[in-house]
Amino acid sequence: MATIEECRSALDKLSDNLAGADGDVRTAAALDRSLSCRITDLDITFVGRLKDGRIEVLDTLQGPPPEKAQIRLTMSGDDLVAMVDGELNFARAWGAGRVRLEAGLLDLLRLRKLL
């Protein structure tokens, strides 16, 4: 099972990947939205913002987030680490119910370019 530190490191790596992206991916990542990433097996939530093509983690909370973020991800810590390391395909994980992504319709349309 991935640790809190490994999950945080995976989010930092994902942020670096987004910041270095080009074209449609860079455009999709340029949103300015509140973001939460709930790690179910650790019962924690990373909360922050997707801003200027980077993920800015502002806090780590025990349990579910107190407020509903504009973009919400839910998954296990192992799945987060595996996706960021390129070992797990997001679309397959989402289709299998291992990963959950919730956002407004317009945001989902833009985010699909990231996936």
Side-chain angles (χ1 to χ4, degrees), residues 52-89:
D52 298 327
R54 295 200 67 89
I55 297 171
E56 198 179 313
V57 176
L58 302 173
D59 204 358
T60 305
L61 307 172
Q62 191 66 39
E67 297 178 16
K68 188 174 172 181
Q70 292 168 304
I71 299 171
R72 300 168 302 283
L73 289 164
T74 305
M75 68 192 81
S76 73
D78 288 340
D79 285 344
L80 172 63
V81 171
M83 276 193 306
V84 173
D85 287 344
E87 299 167 7
L88 178 64
N89 179 278

Side-chain angles (χ1 to χ4, degrees), residues 15-91:
S15 180
D16 291 343
N17 292 346
L18 291 174
D22 295 321
D24 287 344
V25 174
R26 179 78 175 160
T27 301
L31 296 170
D32 182 5
R33 302 285 188 270
S34 60
L35 174 74
S36 68
C37 181
R38 175 125 170 83
I39 307 300
T40 55
D41 54 334
L42 297 175
D43 193 30
I44 62 161
T45 303
F46 296 99
V47 294
R49 292 200 72 77
L50 175 62
K51 184 177 180 181
D52 298 327
R54 295 200 67 89
I55 297 171
E56 198 179 313
V57 176
L58 302 173
D59 204 358
T60 305
L61 307 172
Q62 191 66 39
E67 297 178 16
K68 188 174 172 181
Q70 292 168 304
I71 299 171
R72 300 168 302 283
L73 289 164
T74 305
M75 68 192 81
S76 73
D78 288 340
D79 285 344
L80 172 63
V81 171
M83 276 193 306
V84 173
D85 287 344
E87 299 167 7
L88 178 64
N89 179 278
F90 178 86

